[in-house]
Amino acid sequence: MPQHTHRLRRTLGLLMLVSLFPLARAASIDAGSMAPAFDLPGAQGNIKLGDYRGKTVYLDFWASWCGPCKQSFPWMNDMQAKYGARGLQVIAVNLDAKAEDARTFLASVPAQFTIAYDPAGASAQQYRIKGMPSSVLIGPDGKVISVHAGFNPGARAELERQITTALGVTP
C-alpha cells in the first residue's frame, strides 16, 4: 500500500476517534473509580468485564492503523503468558469500523489473549479513551488502578511494575 494511503488511513482513523468522543468528556477515567462494565462480541462469544471480577485486568484499546499497537501486542502476549496463572487477564478491544481490518492486523500480529470488538466505539467512549493504544489496569475489585495512553519500549518496565504490584507478585 502506498505511503500516502497509510497516512490518509491513520488521519481518518484519528478523526473518527476524535469525533466519537465529545470534548466535554476529554478527561480520562480516574484511578479508584469503578471500571465501566461492557459486554462485547469476541471470537469465542461475548466478553463481559464482570466475568473477570477477581482477576487483574489489563484492558487495551487498539485499532489496525495504530503503529504502536504492533509493538504492544508482543508485550501483552508476554504479560499474559508470564502472569496469567497469577491472575492477570489481558483483554484488547478493537475499535476498527471494519472487521476485516482487525483480522488482517491479527494475522500479522497474533494475540494470545482475549480480543473483543467494538466497531461503534461505545466502550472507548465509556473509558474516555483519547488515543491509540490506551490501556486501563483494573484491580480484582473492579476498580481502575491506572490509565496509560500510548505505548513505547520505555513504558514496558513501568507497566509491568504496575501489573506485578496489582497482582502482589515479584517479576
Side-chain angles (χ1 to χ4, degrees):
M1 189 179 297
Q3 183 65 25
H4 70 280
T5 304
H6 283 294
R7 280 193 300 249
L8 179 60
R9 286 184 71 200
R10 187 172 47 244
T11 301
L12 289 173
L14 289 171
L15 289 173
M16 180 191 80
L17 184 65
V18 169
S19 70
L20 286 174
F21 313 114
L23 293 176
R25 296 179 51 99
S28 66
I29 195 163
D30 296 323
S33 64
M34 288 302 292
F38 59 80
D39 184 350
L40 298 169
Q44 271 71 44
N46 278 15
I47 310 300
K48 299 176 187 177
L49 181 62
D51 291 347
Y52 297 94
R53 186 61 66 99
K55 289 187 173 273
T56 298
V57 174
Y58 185 86
L59 179 62
D60 180 74
F61 292 90
W62 67 282
S64 63
W65 47 262
C66 166
C69 296
K70 290 179 182 170
Q71 296 175 10
S72 68
F73 268 56
W75 179 82
M76 290 188 294
N77 284 334
D78 290 344
M79 293 298 99
Q80 185 64 62
K82 194 171 180 180
Y83 300 112
R86 295 177 175 172
L88 177 67
Q89 178 61 57
V90 176
I91 301 172
V93 178
N94 176 264
L95 300 172
D96 282 310
K98 292 173 25 184
E100 183 58 33
D101 292 340
R103 283 193 292 276
T104 300
F105 178 97
L106 291 169
S108 66
V109 186
Q112 282 114 34
F113 46 81
T114 302
I115 300 288
Y117 300 95
D118 186 4
S123 62
Q125 187 172 12
Q126 286 181 298
Y127 280 85
R128 302 180 201 149
I129 298 304
K130 296 182 261 184
M132 301 288 172
S134 287
S135 61
V136 180
L137 187 60
I138 303 167
D141 60 358
K143 291 184 180 178
V144 173
I145 296 171
S146 65
V147 179
H148 183 81
F151 187 85
N152 62 58
R156 293 175 185 179
E158 175 58 22
L159 291 170
E160 184 172 3
R161 186 199 62 76
Q162 289 175 10
I163 288 168
T164 57
T165 299
L167 292 170
V169 301
T170 53

